[in-house]
Amino acid sequence: MRIGELAARTGASVRALRYYEEQDLLVPDRSSSGQRHYPEGAVDRVGLIRELYAAGLSSRAILEMLPHAADGRATTALLDRLAEERDRLDARIGELTDSRARLDSVIDGATTNLRTGRSCRPATG
Amino acid sequence: MRIGELAARTGASVRALRYYEEQDLLVPDRSSSGQRHYPEGAVDRVGLIRELYAAGLSSRAILEMLPHAADGRATTALLDRLAEERDRLDARIGELTDSRARLDSVIDGATTNLRTGRSCRPATG
DNA sequence: CTTGCCTCTCACGTCGACGTGAGGTTTTAG
DNA sequence: CTAAAACCTCACGTCGACGTGAGAGGCAAG
């Protein structure tokens, strides 16, 4: 099928599909006039790609995993890589949670200040 | 004091201080030759700015808050703005938590596949 | 043949908090 | 007076997943 149909069937934009190709995630055949032609399996492959994007992975991470995941058989290496990405996500969530805590203490200080008139100095840490 | 001393005393880079000025967060006087001169109060002000950055706020958000926060007196409007940013942070944390859950289900599928040999099809949602 | 949609390849715009030179001026220590 | 810091203003690079035209060729139907 051509790119428009694949886009319609997967929910990805045409631009996104071309982008996936740029990232070597999805490489179609070309007709003599240069048009992209995808096999049926591309639908599932795009589904997997989008699943991984939605799971917070970068295109580079997806690229490293696809050869191990696309054939439907998992590898220990694949699981390690996935765990690595999960840890990265956890770290990021931890950072944001810390930021949220800092913001809360700023809010606490400001609230106290509003009620008592005392100056609030930001806590370091 | 000049920019180098302020940088040393606050832990911000010289470039960062110039950037804060670009964002109208910290506007120093200028000597006749164009060099920046900051008053003592700039040290605390930079501390507050960095605190807010560390709390995950954007320069625009900080800019809107500073006039209400720098004088040491909190405002209801300021508290509302802070709460808004806290909600934004919570939303972002929620997104990442969702991504983490999706990644976990991918990992579960792959793990099952590795153990049983059964194909894992990504779950939608 | 023509209309009209599909597709193609560039290639810049997005968003944010700076990092990092380039090239020139000012201040300060000796 | 001199040389080394410190300072100045541009202005591009970073990172990622596309969005959004521009300008042109391709394809099926009437």
Side-chain angles (χ1 to χ4, degrees):
Chain A
M1 76 196 79
R2 291 187 298 167
I3 198 169
E5 186 182 343
L6 182 59
R9 288 177 61 181
T10 59
S13 68
V14 169
R15 178 67 177 100
L17 295 176
R18 295 203 188 103
Y19 176 73
Y20 298 160
E21 184 177 350
E22 255 182 56
Q23 305 303 308
D24 297 319
L25 302 178
L26 181 70
V27 183
D29 291 333
R30 297 292 187 128
S31 71
S32 56
S33 64
Q35 300 210 339
R36 295 170 174 83
H37 285 276
Y38 300 87
E40 274 294 317
V43 175
D44 279 353
R45 190 178 176 91
V46 171
L48 177 56
I49 290 172
R50 302 201 89 201
E51 176 80 6
L52 293 175
Y53 270 123
L57 303 196
S58 67
S59 59
R60 177 182 298 276
I62 296 174
L63 179 59
E64 289 176 32
M65 290 177 188
L66 270 185
H68 304 294
D71 60 1
R73 284 174 301 170
T75 316
T76 307
L78 173 62
L79 284 174
D80 286 349
R81 196 74 181 77
L82 285 168
E84 196 182 319
E85 292 298 327
R86 185 200 52 203
D87 293 346
R88 206 184 301 277
L89 254 181
D90 282 345
R92 181 70 184 133
I93 291 173
E95 285 174 20
L96 287 187
T97 302
D98 287 350
S99 290
R100 202 225 128 103
R102 271 190 284 269
L103 184 51
D104 260 347
S105 76
V106 170
I107 290 176
D108 283 351
T111 304
T112 300
N113 172 278
L114 184 60
R115 286 188 314 205
T116 68
R118 260 176 301 177
S119 76
C120 47
R121 202 161 38 181
T124 303
Chain B
M1 78 196 79
R2 292 190 296 167
I3 198 169
E5 186 182 343
L6 183 59
R9 289 177 60 182
T10 59
S13 68
V14 168
R15 178 69 177 95
L17 295 176
R18 295 204 187 103
Y19 176 73
Y20 299 161
E21 183 177 350
E22 255 183 58
Q23 305 303 308
D24 296 320
L25 301 179
L26 181 70
V27 183
D29 291 334
R30 297 293 185 127
S31 71
S32 57
S33 65
Q35 300 210 341
R36 295 171 174 83
H37 284 276
Y38 301 87
E40 273 294 317
V43 174
D44 279 353
R45 191 179 176 93
V46 171
L48 177 55
I49 290 171
R50 303 200 91 202
E51 176 78 9
L52 293 174
Y53 270 122
L57 304 195
S58 67
S59 58
R60 176 182 298 277
I62 296 175
L63 179 59
E64 290 176 31
M65 290 178 189
L66 270 186
H68 304 295
D71 59 2
R73 283 174 301 170
T75 316
T76 306
L78 172 62
L79 283 175
D80 286 350
R81 196 75 181 76
L82 285 168
E84 196 182 319
E85 292 299 327
R86 184 199 54 203
D87 292 347
R88 206 184 300 277
L89 254 181
D90 281 345
R92 181 69 185 134
I93 291 173
E95 286 175 20
L96 286 187
T97 302
D98 287 351
S99 289
R100 202 226 128 102
R102 271 190 285 267
L103 184 51
D104 259 347
S105 77
V106 169
I107 289 177
D108 282 351
T111 304
T112 300
N113 172 279
L114 184 61
R115 287 188 315 207
T116 69
R118 261 177 298 178
S119 76
C120 48
R121 204 163 35 180
T124 303

mmCIF file of all heavy atoms in Angstrom, chain B residues 10 16-18 35-36 63 80 86 89 102:
data_model
loop_
_atom_site.group_PDB
_atom_site.id
_atom_site.type_symbol
_atom_site.label_atom_id
_atom_site.label_comp_id
_atom_site.label_asym_id
_atom_site.label_seq_id
_atom_site.Cartn_x
_atom_site.Cartn_y
_atom_site.Cartn_z
ATOM 1 N N THR B 10 26.325 33.348 43.612
ATOM 2 C CA THR B 10 25.016 32.698 43.468
ATOM 3 C C THR B 10 25.109 31.291 42.912
ATOM 4 O O THR B 10 24.170 30.505 43.035
ATOM 5 C CB THR B 10 24.113 33.502 42.516
ATOM 6 O OG1 THR B 10 24.747 33.591 41.241
ATOM 7 C CG2 THR B 10 23.852 34.887 43.071
ATOM 8 N N ALA B 16 24.199 32.587 32.328
ATOM 9 C CA ALA B 16 22.854 32.463 32.880
ATOM 10 C C ALA B 16 22.345 33.815 33.356
ATOM 11 O O ALA B 16 21.192 34.178 33.101
ATOM 12 C CB ALA B 16 22.852 31.462 34.025
ATOM 13 N N LEU B 17 23.213 34.587 34.002
ATOM 14 C CA LEU B 17 22.794 35.906 34.490
ATOM 15 C C LEU B 17 22.414 36.815 33.325
ATOM 16 O O LEU B 17 21.434 37.553 33.395
ATOM 17 C CB LEU B 17 23.914 36.534 35.325
ATOM 18 C CG LEU B 17 24.231 35.786 36.626
ATOM 19 C CD1 LEU B 17 25.414 36.426 37.343
ATOM 20 C CD2 LEU B 17 23.006 35.726 37.533
ATOM 21 N N ARG B 18 23.196 36.739 32.256
ATOM 22 C CA ARG B 18 22.844 37.547 31.075
ATOM 23 C C ARG B 18 21.521 37.066 30.492
ATOM 24 O O ARG B 18 20.711 37.846 30.016
ATOM 25 C CB ARG B 18 23.948 37.439 30.022
ATOM 26 C CG ARG B 18 25.270 38.046 30.474
ATOM 27 C CD ARG B 18 26.134 38.462 29.271
ATOM 28 N NE ARG B 18 27.471 38.887 29.688
ATOM 29 C CZ ARG B 18 28.560 38.127 29.571
ATOM 30 N NH1 ARG B 18 28.475 36.916 29.055
ATOM 31 N NH2 ARG B 18 29.729 38.582 29.958
ATOM 32 N N GLN B 35 29.332 48.178 31.354
ATOM 33 C CA GLN B 35 29.406 47.004 32.229
ATOM 34 C C GLN B 35 28.238 46.968 33.202
ATOM 35 O O GLN B 35 27.758 47.996 33.686
ATOM 36 C CB GLN B 35 30.731 47.014 32.986
ATOM 37 C CG GLN B 35 31.926 46.973 32.035
ATOM 38 C CD GLN B 35 33.137 46.277 32.615
ATOM 39 O OE1 GLN B 35 33.250 46.107 33.825
ATOM 40 N NE2 GLN B 35 34.034 45.857 31.751
ATOM 41 N N ARG B 36 27.798 45.747 33.503
ATOM 42 C CA ARG B 36 26.655 45.572 34.405
ATOM 43 C C ARG B 36 27.074 45.743 35.865
ATOM 44 O O ARG B 36 28.090 45.205 36.279
ATOM 45 C CB ARG B 36 26.063 44.180 34.208
ATOM 46 C CG ARG B 36 25.457 43.932 32.842
ATOM 47 C CD ARG B 36 25.098 42.469 32.656
ATOM 48 N NE ARG B 36 24.394 42.231 31.402
ATOM 49 C CZ ARG B 36 25.016 42.068 30.238
ATOM 50 N NH1 ARG B 36 26.333 42.125 30.148
ATOM 51 N NH2 ARG B 36 24.293 41.849 29.139
ATOM 52 N N LEU B 63 8.725 35.307 35.386
ATOM 53 C CA LEU B 63 8.585 36.734 35.105
ATOM 54 C C LEU B 63 7.258 37.278 35.636
ATOM 55 O O LEU B 63 7.190 38.370 36.195
ATOM 56 C CB LEU B 63 8.669 36.968 33.598
ATOM 57 C CG LEU B 63 8.507 38.419 33.125
ATOM 58 C CD1 LEU B 63 9.575 39.302 33.755
ATOM 59 C CD2 LEU B 63 8.560 38.507 31.614
ATOM 60 N N ASP B 80 -2.314 31.835 43.396
ATOM 61 C CA ASP B 80 -3.075 31.208 42.319
ATOM 62 C C ASP B 80 -2.142 30.767 41.202
ATOM 63 O O ASP B 80 -2.255 29.658 40.672
ATOM 64 C CB ASP B 80 -4.111 32.194 41.764
ATOM 65 C CG ASP B 80 -5.285 32.371 42.718
ATOM 66 O OD1 ASP B 80 -5.373 31.601 43.696
ATOM 67 O OD2 ASP B 80 -6.096 33.283 42.493
ATOM 68 N N ARG B 86 1.823 24.283 39.818
ATOM 69 C CA ARG B 86 1.853 22.990 40.505
ATOM 70 C C ARG B 86 0.958 21.990 39.767
ATOM 71 O O ARG B 86 1.329 20.838 39.554
ATOM 72 C CB ARG B 86 1.366 23.149 41.937
ATOM 73 C CG ARG B 86 1.453 21.877 42.759
ATOM 74 C CD ARG B 86 0.546 21.977 43.977
ATOM 75 N NE ARG B 86 -0.812 22.327 43.532
ATOM 76 C CZ ARG B 86 -1.734 22.905 44.304
ATOM 77 N NH1 ARG B 86 -1.439 23.241 45.537
ATOM 78 N NH2 ARG B 86 -2.937 23.165 43.817
ATOM 79 N N LEU B 89 2.672 20.795 36.688
ATOM 80 C CA LEU B 89 3.665 19.780 37.038
ATOM 81 C C LEU B 89 2.999 18.432 37.299
ATOM 82 O O LEU B 89 3.457 17.393 36.841
ATOM 83 C CB LEU B 89 4.425 20.217 38.291
ATOM 84 C CG LEU B 89 5.843 20.711 38.104
ATOM 85 C CD1 LEU B 89 6.460 21.069 39.443
ATOM 86 C CD2 LEU B 89 6.680 19.649 37.411
ATOM 87 N N ARG B 102 2.607 2.047 30.460
ATOM 88 C CA ARG B 102 2.613 1.433 29.131
ATOM 89 C C ARG B 102 3.884 0.655 28.915
ATOM 90 O O ARG B 102 3.866 -0.456 28.380
ATOM 91 C CB ARG B 102 2.465 2.524 28.068
ATOM 92 C CG ARG B 102 1.024 2.844 27.723
ATOM 93 C CD ARG B 102 0.934 3.744 26.499
ATOM 94 N NE ARG B 102 1.297 5.110 26.817
ATOM 95 C CZ ARG B 102 0.440 6.052 27.164
ATOM 96 N NH1 ARG B 102 -0.850 5.775 27.243
ATOM 97 N NH2 ARG B 102 0.826 7.274 27.436
#
